[in-house]
Amino acid sequence: PPSPEARAAKRARVVRRGVVSALVVLFVAYPTVAREVLLVFACRPVEQGRLFLMESLDLRCGSAEHRRLALGLGLPGLVLYVLGVPLAILGVLMWRRDDLHAPENDRTAQKLLWFTYGSYRKGVYYYEAIVVLRKAAVVLLTAVLVPLGVPLQSQLLLGFLVVALLVHLRLQPFTDGFTNALETLSLGTLLFTFWAGSVSSNLNQGSNAAEILAVLVLLSNVLVCTVAIGGYARAKAVTLLTSVDAARGAGKHQPKTENASAKEEGREPGVNGAGGRDTGGGGDAASASSAERGAREGEEKEPGNGGTVVFGNPMFMTNQSELEMATI
């Protein structure tokens, strides 16, 4: 049976994976849940200037029933979820900022929060909180502020996207240039999409200009998707080539066998350097010498300095820190 330490380590690993999975689901569902929470406050004029709830036009905004809904569901959801999630992420990352990139310290924070900051530079580890707040702001501008009218709503949204693009260009938060360029392209495409929608709303329906704008919006979004897929394919190809190179490099450092050494020296396998054939004791000595050379080579290549072969396959060679992070 496994030891108590092994059982405790297994329980800790299961709990850690459960927490990480819950956080990922929380991030993925955030825009949808935030929209539903904010729609509690979204009202629109229907008749004689009276406001009714957009999601339920039989419920008048400001009525006793709507106030109960807003105070019982909308306000707690706004504080605890819409604002609470990004602020909690920011607070935890700032609290453990000294441990996020320090391999010698406690790695619990890294294993739990790696997906929230691992793609960003050390100086902008908090950028994921900005991204989440940006999603909430877009939901607020597109779904809740409908009573302001399309022209004002479009201007506010375009101004916000311009600020978001300028912040990204200023910080360049990602660790690699391609991801920064892809984020710039996606924000620019989003900005162009909303601008085209704002212009099209002022054009006659079915006009040539509106159709041209619609085609341009479609092409720009296809371009973003194509660049993203191409970048992903390129990254996978680079990873595969790196693994193959690592496997070849590991093969070159394998200790030579007795027969291979004999062939390189130009003598027959099993014959010693003096011209005589090895006896059983000589063969044992040669095997011991070969094993000793292999042991010395293994000692010279510490796992933390060179690499670690996972599951005995050199194609899975990785450094020690990456191996420990992969255990989550």
Side-chain angles (χ1 to χ4, degrees), residues 7-307:
R7 290 196 296 267
K10 183 177 180 179
R11 285 195 299 268
R13 187 165 56 250
V14 171
V15 170
R16 185 169 61 247
R17 289 177 177 175
V19 172
V20 172
S21 300
L23 290 175
V24 171
V25 172
L26 183 68
F27 270 74
V28 173
Y30 180 84
T32 303
V33 178
R35 182 179 183 275
E36 295 300 322
V37 170
L38 292 175
L39 283 177
V40 175
F41 306 98
C43 301
R44 61 180 300 178
V46 176
E47 57 180 13
Q48 299 178 354
R50 292 187 297 180
L51 298 177
F52 289 83
L53 192 66
M54 290 179 54
E55 294 295 293
S56 179
L57 294 178
D58 59 343
L59 181 61
R60 183 177 178 181
C61 292
S63 62
E65 185 178 357
H66 180 252
R67 285 198 298 269
R68 287 195 299 269
L69 179 63
L71 294 177
L73 179 62
L75 188 59
L78 176 64
V79 175
L80 298 178
Y81 192 84
V82 179
L83 297 177
V85 169
L87 293 180
I89 295 170
L90 179 61
V92 172
L93 290 177
M94 294 185 67
W95 174 44
R96 300 302 297 270
R97 62 182 179 273
D98 295 332
D99 300 332
L100 298 181
H101 297 281
E104 68 276 4
N105 290 358
D106 182 17
R107 300 180 66 88
T108 303
Q110 297 184 27
K111 294 176 180 179
L112 291 177
L113 302 172
W114 178 259
F115 73 97
T116 64
Y117 74 92
S119 299
Y120 303 117
R121 296 186 294 107
K122 292 182 179 180
V124 286
Y125 60 89
Y126 52 83
Y127 194 77
E128 188 65 28
I130 296 178
V131 173
V132 176
L133 284 174
R134 190 174 68 195
K135 294 177 181 178
V138 171
V139 171
L140 176 67
L141 292 171
T142 56
V144 180
L145 300 184
V146 173
L148 297 179
V150 175
L152 181 57
Q153 188 182 14
S154 301
Q155 295 302 319
L156 291 175
L157 184 58
L158 291 175
F160 173 78
L161 290 177
V162 169
V163 173
L165 180 59
L166 292 177
V167 169
H168 170 73
L169 292 175
R170 176 65 180 85
L171 295 179
Q172 294 289 301
F174 294 99
T175 55
D176 62 290
F178 175 79
T179 309
N180 282 317
L182 182 60
E183 180 74 1
T184 303
L185 181 61
S186 62
L187 286 174
T189 302
L190 185 61
L191 181 62
F192 173 73
T193 300
F194 281 109
W195 174 82
S198 176
V199 173
S200 298
S201 63
N202 296 321
L203 298 175
N204 295 327
Q205 187 176 6
S207 63
N208 293 333
E211 294 179 356
I212 292 174
L213 285 176
V215 172
L216 291 177
V217 168
L218 177 61
L219 292 178
S220 62
N221 284 271
V222 170
L223 175 63
V224 173
C225 295
T226 303
V227 172
I229 295 174
Y232 176 78
R234 178 180 177 275
K236 296 296 289 185
V238 170
T239 302
L240 179 60
L241 292 176
T242 303
S243 301
V244 172
D245 292 340
R248 291 176 178 174
K252 293 180 180 179
H253 290 87
Q254 293 294 329
K256 297 179 181 179
T257 61
E258 175 71 17
N259 293 340
S261 300
K263 290 181 179 179
E264 289 185 359
E265 296 175 5
R267 57 186 174 87
E268 295 182 2
V271 180
N272 58 22
R277 184 170 298 275
D278 286 341
T279 62
D284 293 341
S287 301
S289 176
S290 176
E292 184 179 355
R293 287 197 305 270
R296 286 200 303 269
E297 292 177 359
E299 292 174 356
E300 291 174 359
K301 293 186 64 179
E302 292 293 336
N305 299 329

